[in-house]
Amino acid sequence: MKRSDPTRVLLGRHVKKLRLQAGLSQEAFADLCGLDRTYISGIERGVRNPTLEVLAIIAAALHIDLITLFNFDGCD
Amino acid sequence: MKRSDPTRVLLGRHVKKLRLQAGLSQEAFADLCGLDRTYISGIERGVRNPTLEVLAIIAAALHIDLITLFNFDGCD
């Protein structure tokens, strides 16, 4: 499992895309999630390995379900 | 976040359902995943909080994508 595993990178790109679509800065999104901004930044850069609970928190903060969170189609 | 968070419980039930549909024992599935059987058991009981990497390993071992893994519909 390489450091920048495709799944982490794809998820990170998708979280960033969804966050921007929601008009949220990393800071505002981190506050919504109750997570540190640098952790959100790490997830978006694909260098973090978030747990199921964190993924559920991120999906809830974006008002989407986990299926939508992992629907990377259309993520370039 | 309660100990048996709904997301963990739903995911666990779904992993078990998919594993059984694939005709795999916990032991065989754990071997496929390169994970310990007791860890798989904990995930299926909803008491573990697996990381994205583990979720990707589980999906790959079941030959499904993460969207399907999180599609809990029909999980009673």
Side-chain angles (χ1 to χ4, degrees):
Chain A
M1 204 64 64
K2 284 188 330 297
R3 180 90 194 104
S4 56
D5 164 82
T7 306
R8 293 191 203 192
V9 172
L10 290 173
L11 176 79
R13 243 179 252 154
H14 198 215
V15 169
K16 182 172 184 176
K17 178 181 164 187
L18 293 166
R19 171 177 63 80
L20 292 174
Q21 282 175 350
L24 293 164
S25 66
Q26 265 186 1
E27 193 78 43
F29 185 53
D31 282 350
L32 269 178
C33 295
L35 298 169
D36 191 86
R37 191 199 63 75
T38 57
Y39 188 71
I40 294 291
S41 167
I43 288 174
E44 291 189 352
R45 285 180 291 115
V47 298
R48 291 287 183 172
N49 184 23
T51 65
L52 176 62
E53 267 190 40
V54 167
L55 294 167
I57 287 170
I58 286 174
L62 291 168
H63 304 293
I64 59 175
D65 58 21
L66 287 166
I67 294 174
T68 308
L69 184 66
F70 283 104
N71 190 357
F72 303 147
D73 288 349
C75 250
D76 37 29
Chain B
M1 205 65 63
K2 285 189 327 302
R3 181 90 195 107
S4 57
D5 164 84
T7 306
R8 294 191 203 190
V9 172
L10 290 173
L11 176 79
R13 244 181 249 152
H14 199 214
V15 168
K16 181 171 185 176
K17 179 181 162 187
L18 292 166
R19 172 177 64 79
L20 292 173
Q21 283 175 349
L24 294 165
S25 67
Q26 264 186 2
E27 193 77 43
F29 184 54
D31 283 351
L32 269 178
C33 295
L35 297 169
D36 191 85
R37 192 200 62 74
T38 57
Y39 187 71
I40 294 291
S41 167
I43 289 174
E44 291 189 352
R45 285 179 290 117
V47 297
R48 290 287 181 173
N49 184 22
T51 65
L52 176 62
E53 263 188 45
V54 166
L55 295 167
I57 287 170
I58 286 174
L62 292 168
H63 305 292
I64 58 174
D65 58 21
L66 287 167
I67 293 173
T68 308
L69 184 65
F70 284 106
N71 189 356
F72 304 147
D73 287 350
C75 250
D76 38 29

